[in-house]
């Protein structure tokens, strides 16, 4: 939970999607340093609900290794599409796009409508959520 709160400030929201999700962790020796939660969405789509690495271990490659592992896991599982929602700016957007995620839509005012307090990153208020998807090759829409 401590890790997941880094990616989503609402514990209630995290708890609401934890059951029914699969949780992946990255560890350094016996210490869990990163976590990623993925939820099924229909027949052949899954959504990455959260990914976080402990601040003391960020920028060391754990997040990239964890994301790659999750992408490969669902490719091998035969999933058609891995989705994620994120803010409209910041390094997280590049983090996903680097791995092949493409923007599919904008959920306007998502962060205002779904959280009781305004959320700021780098001093900028988050309003809209970008929806991204990684489409695995080999599937016919
Ligand atoms: C997003 C996150 C999981 C990435 O994990 P990580 O272990 O730091 O990732 P990596 O070390 O593999 O680095 C991936 C890229 O992100 C960049 N990055 C990571 N943390 C950063 C930060 N705080 N500020 C700016 N860039 C950052 C890295 O520099 C790297 O980019 P580069 O390849 O151009 O150098 C992690 O930073 C995190 O937990 N952030 C807070 C929670 C969050 O925002 N989760 C995503 C919700 S949408």
């Amino acid at each position: 939970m401590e890790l997941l709160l880094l990616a989503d400030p609402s514990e209630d929201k995290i708890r609401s999607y934890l059951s029914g999700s699969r949780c992946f962790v990255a560890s350094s020796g016996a210490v869990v340093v990163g976590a990623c939660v993925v939820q099924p969405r229909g027949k052949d789509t899954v959504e990455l609900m959260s990914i976080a690495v402990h601040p003391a271990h960020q920028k060391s490659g754990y997040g990239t290794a964890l994301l790659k592992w999750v992408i490969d896991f669902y490719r091998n599982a035969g999933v058609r599409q891995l989705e994620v929602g994120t803010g409209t700016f910041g390094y997280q957007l590049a983090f996903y796009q680097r791995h092949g995620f493409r923007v599919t839509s904008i959920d306007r005012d998502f962060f205002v409508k779904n959280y009781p307090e305004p959320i700021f990153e780098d001093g900028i208020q988050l309003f809209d959520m970008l929806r991204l998807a990684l489409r695995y090759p080999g599937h016919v829409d």
Side-chain angles (χ1 to χ4, degrees), residues 6-7 51-53 57-64 85-86 91-92 95-96 98:
L6 296 168
I51 183 165
V53 169
H57 296 276
Q58 286 177 10
K59 299 192 188 179
S60 305
Y62 287 107
T64 297
T86 190
Y91 69 93
Q92 295 92 339
F95 176 67
Y96 294 121
R98 194 177 284 130

Side-chain angles (χ1 to χ4, degrees), residues 14 16-17 19 21 32 40-43 61 68 72 76 93-94 96 111 125-127 135:
I14 296 169
S16 76
Y17 61 66
S19 66
S21 292
V32 170
R41 285 259 178 273
K43 187 167 62 76
K68 277 187 172 170
D72 287 347
N76 293 335
L93 191 51
Y96 294 121
F111 293 106
Q125 187 175 354
L126 271 176
F127 289 101
R135 295 201 173 129

